[in-house]
Amino acid sequence: MLLVEVLEKLNILSAAAKYDVSCSSSGSNRKNKPGGVGNAAASGICHSWSQDGRCISLLKILQTNFCVYDCAYCVNRASNDLPRAAFTPEEVADLTINFYRRNYIEGLFLSSAVWPNPNQTMEALLRTVKLLRTQYRFNGYIHVKAIPGADWRLIAETGTLVDRMSVNIELPTSESLQLLAPQKKRENILQPMKLIGSQIVESQEERKQSRKAPSFVPAGQSTQLIVGATPDTDLRILQLSESLYRRVHLKRVYYSAYVPVSTNPKLPTLASPPLNREHRLYQADWLLRFYGFEAKELLNEASPNFHLQLDPKSDWALRNLHLFPLEVNKADYRFLLRVPGIGVKSAQRILTARRFHSLDFEDLQKLGVVMKRARYFLTCKGKYFGQIPYREEAIKEKLLAKPTKVENYTQLALFSDVENQQPVQDALTSITGEL
Amino acid sequence: MIIYLYDGSFEGLLTAIYEAYYRSEKPEQIMAQDSYQPDLFSQPRVIATDSDKAGKVYDAIERKISHEALEHVFYVYLSELPGLGTLIYRYLQFGWRVGADINGHLSLEPVREVLRISQKVGVERHRMLGLLRFKKIQGELYYAPFEPDYNIVGLMAPHFARRLADQNWIIHDLKRGLAAFYNQERWLIRELANNTGQLNWEENEAFYQELWQNYFQRIAVEGRTNRKVQRQFMPARYWRHLIEKPTQ
Ligand code: SF4
C-alpha cells in the first residue's frame, strides 16, 4: 500500500464517519481461536480519548463516502461538494489488523454511504468482514451498519460474522424524514431492524440449547437519532427509544446533537450543537433502561422537553414529592433507585451495608450517594437532613443553586454519582465509555 | 513498637501475616525491609520468607474469607504504596473474624482503604489495557514500553496472551525494569533494564504510526472540543508512550 494514497483515503473516510457517535466495544465475549488474533472484552476497552473527550475504541470508517442519496443533514449527501473516496476490502482489513496488533483499537466500526445501490453497498461490507474473519482470522470486535433496502440474505450473513449491527434511524418521525431525507422511507429503515431483532432473539434461544449454534450479532443492535435538526420534541424521541427497547430488543439508542453541516433552509441555524439537550436524553435513556422509569413519567404533552438545568430524575422527583422523603433503612431497591443522587451501584451498596447496621447520614456519603441532591429526598432513622422546608420550590431552588459547573457532556458524566469508592468491578466499567 | 520486616515479595508478606497470627509477639506494623528506617522506639523482627507458610495464608484467605478478598490483597500489594503491609494485616485480622462478608463493612477504615487502593490498581490496569502501544521490531516482535504507577505488568500479560496470541511480544515496565515476555505459547516476567538501546523498527512501522496519528487528529468533531474530559480519562503522564499526540 502506498502511504499517501491510504493516508488520503483514511482522512476522507474517517472524517465522514465521525458523526456516528457509537464507539462502544462492549457486550460481546467473542473468544480468540487457535492461530487467530483478537477477542472481544465484554466490558469494552477505550484505547484513547480524542480532543472532543470521546472514547476511541474502534477504528471508525466508511467503506465509501460516495452517495446516491441526498439527505439534507448529512455531510456525504450527493449534492455536497467534498472529496470522495472508497476503500477496497483489503485496505480496510489491513488497516484494522495492523492497528489491532499495535493495540491502537478494540476492533472495527464499518459503515458506508450508499453507492451505487443498497445491495452492492451491503455486499462490499460483507466482503470486508468476511476477509477479516476468515483470511486474517480476526476475532476482535466488529460493528457493521446494515444498509436499509439491501437484500435480507446479505444482512443476515453479515450478522453471523459481526458482534454488533446498527441501522441508523436518524430522524424520529416520518414527517422529519419526508422533509430532510425524502428518498428514504421509514418502513425501509424499521424493517431490517425488526428482522435483525428477531434473528438475535432466535439465535440466543438456539445457543441456550447448544453452545455450538452460530452466534448472530451477540453484542446486540443499536441505532442513532439526531437531536436538534428537526422540531421533534424530547417526548417524541424518548417514546421512540422506549418502543425500540421493548419491541425490537435494541441494545442501545445513541443520540447525536446535530452539528450544522449545511445551510439548507430546511435545517435550523444553530450557533453550536445542542449538547445539553443530548446530555439530558442520555440521562433519560439511562432511566428507561436501568431505573425502571417510563417515558410518560418523565415527560408529557404539556411539558414535552427536558428541563435544561435539572436532570430528568430530579425533575421527576420534584413533581412527585408525595412519594418522598424515603427512609433509607427501609426503602425497596426499586424506590431507592428513584432518589436523585442514588445510582444503581450506590443503591446496591445501601442494600448490602444495611444488612450489617442501620445507616446514618454520614454512611451514605461513603457509599457513594451524592448528598447534595439526595439529602432532600431521604430520611435516616427517621431524621430529615434537608435543612429546608419540604416544599417543591424550596428544594428546587437548592437543586438549581449551583449552576451545574461546566458539565462534561459525555455519556460518562452520568455516572459521576458512583465515582467514589466503588469496588474493582464497577471501576472497570466506569472507564470504558459505556456502562 | 514491634515491626515485622519482610523481603518485599508477596510470599514474604504472607509469611509475615502467618507469623503475626501464630507468634505471641504481635507486630504493630508490617513493612518491606528496604522501606524500614531504624529509630529508637522500634524493634524490628526480620521474617524469613517461607513458601509453605505463605501458601497456607494464601489458601486460608481464599477459603475463610473469599477469592475476592485475596484479589484485593494482591492488588493492594501491587500498589507498592507505603503502609500497605500493615493495612493488609489489619484488613485480614478483621477478615478472619467476619469471613466472606468483609467487604460489606464499609464503615471500617481498613476495609475502605483496601477497596480504595485495590480499585485504583484495577483502574490503572484497565486503562493500560487500552493505552498500551506496541511497535513492531524487525524479526516479528512487538515491543510495548510503559511506565505505570503500580506494578501491573503481571496483571496485563494474561489479557494480551489471549488477545495477541499469534505474535511475539514484550511489555516493558521501564519504571521497575520488569518485562513480560510472550512467545506465542507462554508468558513470563523477567527483569529487563530500561536501556534497550537503539531498536530496529520494522519497515512499515512508521507508516502505521502516521496513519494512526492522522486518524486520531481527525476523528474529533469540531465544535465539541473537550480537553478536560480527555485529560481526565487519559492523564498526561501516560502520553509519553502513546503514538498519537493529544497536545496538538
Ligand atoms: S444515505 Fe447515508 S451517507 Fe448518504 S446522504 Fe443519506 S445519511 Fe448521508
Side-chain angles (χ1 to χ4, degrees):
Chain A
M1 297 199 299
L2 274 171
L3 176 62
V4 269
E5 197 184 309
V6 179
L7 197 62
E8 174 92 20
K9 281 193 190 181
L10 182 63
N11 285 345
I12 293 173
L13 294 170
S14 62
K18 69 185 172 193
Y19 297 99
D20 225 302
V21 291
S22 160
C23 196
S24 156
S25 60
S26 65
S28 178
N29 53 4
R30 186 180 298 275
K31 301 265 187 305
N32 199 355
K33 295 188 185 126
V37 56
N39 57 1
S43 61
I45 294 175
C46 285
H47 286 253
S48 194
W49 277 268
S50 57
Q51 317 287 28
D52 55 13
R54 292 190 303 172
C55 153
I56 302 179
S57 182
L58 305 173
L59 170 61
K60 207 188 301 186
I61 47 177
L62 298 187
Q63 187 86 48
T64 177
N65 69 339
F66 285 103
C67 198
V68 286
Y69 290 122
D70 200 39
C71 311
Y73 53 84
C74 176
V75 270
N76 300 326
R77 65 191 180 278
S79 62
N80 198 19
D81 180 20
L82 88 170
R84 308 268 171 176
F87 273 129
T88 64
E90 286 74 20
E91 285 166 337
V92 174
D94 182 85
L95 271 178
T96 307
I97 283 287
N98 276 290
F99 279 11
Y100 194 83
R101 289 194 179 283
R102 287 166 176 76
N103 205 40
Y104 300 167
I105 53 169
E106 209 43 32
L108 173 68
F109 179 175
L110 184 61
S111 181
S112 186
V114 181
W115 186 266
N117 56 51
N119 267 342
Q120 273 171 269
T121 309
M122 198 66 225
E123 263 166 26
L125 298 179
L126 174 59
R127 263 209 309 285
T128 304
V129 171
K130 236 186 192 163
L131 192 67
L132 269 168
R133 287 287 193 233
T134 54
Q135 224 141 302
Y136 288 83
R137 292 171 302 174
F138 176 68
N139 298 305
Y141 194 95
I142 301 182
H143 176 167
V144 151
K145 274 289 160 51
I147 305 296
D151 197 304
W152 167 244
R153 275 172 314 175
L154 293 170
I155 297 177
E157 187 181 352
T158 310
T160 61
L161 296 167
V162 302
D163 297 279
R164 173 169 285 191
M165 265 188 142
S166 58
V167 184
N168 281 2
I169 297 182
E170 306 288 18
L171 302 173
T173 58
S174 322
E175 300 86 73
S176 313
L177 210 57
Q178 180 58 35
L179 181 72
L180 297 178
Q183 293 152 297
K184 286 184 176 170
K185 292 280 163 292
R186 190 173 164 83
E187 211 26 57
N188 281 350
I189 298 172
L190 294 179
Q191 167 85 2
M193 291 183 85
K194 287 180 196 152
L195 287 171
I196 294 169
S198 53
Q199 189 66 44
I200 290 175
V201 174
E202 204 173 293
S203 105
Q204 279 168 352
E205 284 305 313
E206 282 170 17
R207 281 170 73 82
K208 270 185 210 145
Q209 312 294 329
S210 152
R211 276 278 117 207
K212 291 213 185 73
S215 71
F216 187 89
V217 193
Q221 182 181 192
S222 63
T223 192
Q224 169 169 302
L225 296 170
I226 298 179
V227 179
T230 57
D232 301 303
T233 61
D234 291 345
L235 176 62
R236 290 302 290 274
I237 294 174
L238 207 61
Q239 279 171 334
L240 176 60
S241 302
E242 186 171 52
S243 75
L244 290 170
Y245 287 131
R246 286 188 185 163
R247 301 230 298 273
V248 260
H249 311 285
L250 227 69
K251 188 85 171 204
R252 279 302 294 271
V253 175
Y254 290 91
Y255 306 90
S256 172
Y258 171 64
V259 180
V261 293
S262 154
T263 50
N264 188 319
K266 288 175 182 164
L267 285 162
T269 42
L270 301 171
S272 62
L275 295 176
N276 208 342
R277 198 178 156 199
E278 175 194 291
H279 180 58
R280 293 288 175 240
L281 280 164
Y282 272 116
Q283 289 180 313
D285 183 273
W286 202 255
L287 295 179
L288 294 186
R289 289 185 299 142
F290 301 109
Y291 289 75
F293 280 91
E294 291 182 33
K296 64 173 191 282
E297 290 180 278
L298 299 171
L299 295 168
N300 53 51
E301 298 296 344
S303 59
N305 288 304
F306 288 112
H307 199 297
L308 290 183
Q309 274 75 45
L310 267 182
D311 65 279
K313 203 200 227 181
S314 298
D315 195 21
W316 171 84
L318 283 174
R319 281 183 279 115
N320 291 277
L321 274 187
H322 58 281
L323 300 173
F324 299 99
L326 216 56
E327 172 54 46
V328 161
N329 289 296
K330 297 217 182 74
D332 244 38
Y333 178 68
R334 274 182 314 154
F335 284 106
L336 282 175
L337 280 183
R338 294 193 160 223
V339 177
I342 295 186
V344 172
K345 295 292 173 200
S346 43
Q348 284 168 356
R349 261 177 257 143
I350 288 173
L351 291 194
T352 314
R354 249 175 19 186
R355 302 206 329 256
F356 302 106
H357 58 99
S358 58
L359 303 173
D360 290 330
F361 197 68
E362 290 75 41
D363 293 326
L364 293 181
Q365 218 144 13
K366 293 179 197 157
L367 295 173
V369 174
V370 181
M371 295 312 291
K372 70 173 197 273
R373 285 203 294 279
R375 65 188 310 143
Y376 308 109
F377 303 94
L378 293 175
T379 59
C380 289
K381 301 180 189 163
K383 251 197 268 156
Y384 182 67
F385 287 86
Q387 294 167 329
I388 49 164
Y390 188 70
R391 282 200 321 266
E392 184 177 341
E393 316 78 69
I395 299 175
K396 188 167 185 173
E397 196 182 315
K398 285 285 180 189
L399 290 175
L400 288 172
K402 252 198 229 132
T404 24
K405 52 173 171 9
V406 209
E407 284 199 57
N408 301 331
Y409 296 111
T410 66
Q411 298 161 44
L412 284 141
L414 305 174
F415 315 110
S416 51
D417 63 336
V418 295
E419 254 163 28
N420 305 314
Q421 307 187 357
Q422 40 191 352
V424 185
Q425 280 73 9
D426 31 312
L428 300 188
T429 44
S430 75
I431 53 175
T432 58
E434 165 160 351
L435 290 106
Chain B
M1 182 171 74
I2 310 283
I3 300 181
Y4 281 12
L5 301 178
Y6 66 99
D7 63 3
S9 69
F10 190 53
E11 278 199 336
L13 172 60
L14 294 185
T15 311
I17 302 276
Y18 180 95
E19 299 295 353
Y21 191 81
Y22 286 105
R23 288 190 194 180
S24 54
E25 194 183 52
K26 305 292 179 201
E28 225 154 294
Q29 289 185 23
I30 296 181
M31 63 170 76
Q33 222 157 347
D34 60 8
S35 49
Y36 172 66
Q37 305 274 346
D39 65 55
L40 279 176
F41 309 101
S42 64
Q43 298 170 263
R45 301 282 180 271
V46 176
I47 305 293
T49 300
D50 178 325
S51 51
D52 280 347
K53 290 175 180 171
K56 281 186 184 136
V57 174
Y58 189 96
D59 292 342
I61 299 175
E62 202 163 26
R63 248 190 7 260
K64 298 197 172 137
I65 308 176
S66 68
H67 178 77
E68 199 194 331
L70 181 60
E71 201 170 289
H72 285 309
V73 165
F74 187 54
Y75 274 42
V76 171
Y77 165 74
L78 293 177
S79 77
E80 300 177 338
L81 292 171
L84 75 91
T86 311
L87 173 62
I88 289 173
Y89 175 48
R90 302 253 173 270
Y91 174 76
L92 289 176
Q93 269 183 324
F94 187 67
W96 306 133
R97 279 199 312 201
V98 299
D101 279 335
I102 182 166
N103 296 328
H105 292 267
L106 290 171
S107 51
L108 292 169
E109 172 75 19
V111 175
R112 271 210 315 280
E113 268 303 282
V114 161
L115 294 184
R116 189 180 65 83
I117 296 173
S118 162
Q119 180 206 325
K120 282 178 117 175
V121 175
V123 164
E124 187 181 48
R125 170 186 172 271
H126 188 85
R127 211 174 231 164
M128 275 299 158
L129 293 185
L131 295 181
L132 196 73
R133 296 287 180 267
F134 288 92
K135 299 177 207 169
K136 198 172 182 190
I137 302 177
Q138 282 173 14
E140 294 304 313
L141 176 65
Y142 290 81
Y143 173 74
F146 77 141
E147 291 170 81
D149 295 343
Y150 309 120
N151 187 5
I152 55 173
V153 68
L155 299 179
M156 317 231 323
H159 170 86
F160 288 104
R162 283 190 298 273
R163 169 164 292 196
L164 304 177
D166 68 340
Q167 61 194 64
N168 305 312
W169 49 251
I170 297 173
I171 301 172
H172 192 179
D173 180 342
L174 299 177
K175 239 186 193 166
R176 293 168 185 79
L178 281 178
F181 296 79
Y182 174 78
N183 65 356
Q184 304 190 35
E185 275 175 22
R186 294 178 307 120
W187 61 269
L188 44 83
I189 297 202
R190 286 281 177 276
E191 291 190 356
L192 180 65
N194 60 10
N195 50 356
T196 42
Q198 184 60 41
L199 296 169
N200 289 321
W201 305 119
E202 202 241 13
E203 186 187 359
N204 278 332
E205 180 54 33
F207 171 60
Y208 290 111
Q209 289 191 10
E210 191 173 343
L211 287 174
W212 175 246
Q213 284 161 354
N214 253 272
Y215 178 75
F216 177 80
Q217 289 308 325
R218 301 207 164 219
I219 197 66
V221 176
E222 321 75 34
R224 299 191 61 135
T225 305
N226 195 336
R227 306 252 179 180
K228 211 178 127 212
V229 176
Q230 183 188 34
R231 268 168 194 271
Q232 184 182 329
F233 290 106
M234 194 163 68
R237 66 180 181 282
Y238 296 130
W239 292 2
R240 220 185 113 200
H241 298 288
L242 292 176
I243 303 299
E244 62 270 33
K245 305 267 175 289
T247 39
Q248 284 165 13

